Amino acid sequence: RAESLTQNFATQWLQLSQLDNAIPDPILFPEGDKTLRDSLRKETEMLFDSIRSENRSILDLLTAKYAFINEPIAKLYGIRGIYGPRMRRVNIPADNPRSGLLGEGGIQMMTSHSNVTSPVLRGKWILDNILGSSPPPPPPVVPELKATGTNGKILSMRERLEQHRSNPMCYSCHATIEPYGVALENFDAVGRWRTINENGEPVDASTELVNGTKFEGLDGLRNIILANKDQFVQTATNRLLTYAVGRGLDYYDMPTIRKIVKQSAPSNYNFSTLVVNVVKSMPFQMRKAPKPEQTSVK
């Protein structure tokens, strides 16, 4: 059951199945093969499992200073001394930008296009799965991003989005989604850290939320999320309760979620406390049992 919680719940919550369809351009990113994709998925599963098995705070999913890697991941992350396919736990070097879910290559790869990053996909993933504030669906007809400017210059992804956002019809949604993805522009389409973008220019990961809050890069993004940590814990609780009761949640479930978060705060939201409070909740206690299969006796 513990393995099922990791493999099924974590996969559903974090949408890890998207990695099956994330196939980087083999010419631009030859290292992005199935071996790496499978390893990156395993990395995320093992991080989640360590939070569960060691009864750590759910916040450690964002802040963990360790990772589970093998040789393909170590090469991607620039970590030396790791050889072979075996996944092992290592402490993140102080000068390495990785830490927690948002620093994992699998998250970056599955929220990119095959040949270029996508701040929109990355921002949407964060809003959906970390902040629990899903943006509205896009309109039926979305103009394509223009690869070149008026002077014929090849535009970076950030420049393409800025041009796209100048359309008033596109601004409102993009202004909400993009900042979270722009902050991760130091990661390329396979999750490798970079300081130079696809145009050979320095990466600019500075951005601003619609409320005027400015931040920069992965560290700034993580700090923004942790400054409102209850929102992340509420999202995690929402997904855990959904998994536990086997149905989608509705507005009348929100008081229960807030109660679970409040009850779990004294333990700093450790995993077992969240689970116990979910089990004690009325939606779980009053859930309907599945109907027994009809059998016939001859």
Side-chain angles (χ1 to χ4, degrees):
R1 289 184 179 181
E3 290 181 0
S4 175
L5 183 64
T6 294
Q7 295 174 356
N8 295 331
F9 170 64
T11 294
Q12 291 174 23
W13 173 19
L14 303 174
Q15 302 177 4
L16 299 182
S17 59
Q18 291 185 17
L19 267 172
D20 296 336
N21 301 319
I23 304 178
D25 187 311
I27 296 177
L28 296 175
F29 305 105
E31 67 276 72
D33 57 12
K34 189 176 187 301
T35 297
L36 178 62
R37 297 197 302 273
D38 290 347
S39 298
L40 290 171
R41 177 168 179 163
K42 189 66 176 176
E43 177 194 12
T44 304
E45 291 176 347
M46 293 180 75
L47 174 64
F48 177 87
D49 197 57
S50 73
I51 303 297
R52 177 200 62 78
S53 62
E54 298 169 20
N55 195 24
R56 302 172 72 95
S57 168
I58 197 73
L59 296 173
D60 284 4
L61 278 173
L62 299 175
T63 62
K65 297 297 184 182
Y66 62 90
F68 295 87
I69 65 175
N70 57 9
E71 184 174 355
I73 297 178
K75 288 182 177 179
L76 187 73
Y77 289 2
I79 298 176
R80 298 180 179 179
I82 304 296
Y83 303 101
R86 180 176 65 86
M87 301 291 289
R88 68 213 75 178
R89 180 172 176 160
V90 301
N91 292 325
I92 301 295
D95 60 347
N96 193 293
R98 310 285 168 175
S99 65
L101 284 175
L102 299 178
E104 290 188 344
I107 304 301
Q108 311 303 338
M109 185 186 295
M110 72 184 191
T111 54
S112 294
H113 298 302
S114 64
N115 60 346
V116 70
T117 61
S118 174
V120 173
L121 291 179
R122 289 177 176 176
K124 183 179 184 302
W125 185 90
I126 290 170
L127 286 169
D128 283 342
N129 303 294
I130 303 299
L131 300 177
S133 181
S134 300
V141 179
V142 179
E144 291 187 5
L145 298 181
K146 296 181 179 179
T148 58
T150 54
N151 58 359
K153 178 198 171 193
I154 302 296
L155 301 177
S156 67
M157 176 53 68
R158 178 164 185 153
E159 290 170 333
R160 296 179 198 183
L161 289 170
E162 287 173 352
Q163 186 180 75
H164 182 78
R165 204 166 55 238
S166 64
N167 184 333
M169 294 180 61
C170 304
Y171 176 79
S172 59
C173 285
H174 279 264
T176 301
I177 300 170
E178 281 178 26
Y180 299 103
V182 167
L184 298 175
E185 272 293 273
N186 279 113
F187 296 102
D188 69 12
V190 292
R192 183 192 295 105
W193 182 263
R194 63 180 184 172
T195 56
I196 303 298
N197 66 19
E198 60 274 6
N199 282 8
E201 301 168 343
V203 171
D204 181 5
S206 61
T207 187
E208 181 178 350
L209 298 179
V210 290
N211 65 6
T213 302
K214 296 181 180 181
F215 62 101
E216 182 174 357
L218 174 59
D219 289 340
L221 173 60
R222 188 186 297 108
N223 291 337
I224 285 287
I225 295 171
L226 291 176
N228 299 280
K229 60 185 178 182
D230 281 6
Q231 189 172 2
F232 170 66
V233 178
Q234 185 168 304
T235 301
T237 303
N238 183 304
R239 301 304 172 88
L240 190 59
L241 183 59
T242 299
Y243 181 81
V245 300
R247 63 170 174 82
L249 302 188
D250 214 325
Y251 68 92
Y252 47 76
D253 294 302
M254 295 305 107
T256 296
I257 292 174
R258 291 191 291 270
K259 181 179 179 181
I260 293 171
V261 172
K262 184 177 180 179
Q263 291 173 330
S264 304
S267 73
N268 195 31
Y269 313 108
N270 68 34
F271 195 82
S272 68
T273 303
L274 282 173
V275 171
V276 168
N277 287 326
V278 165
V279 170
K280 289 181 177 179
S281 70
M282 184 173 292
F284 185 84
Q285 295 285 332
M286 301 296 290
R287 74 195 190 284
K288 294 181 180 179
K291 294 182 180 180
E293 293 183 0
Q294 297 293 326
T295 58
S296 60
V297 179
K298 295 183 179 180

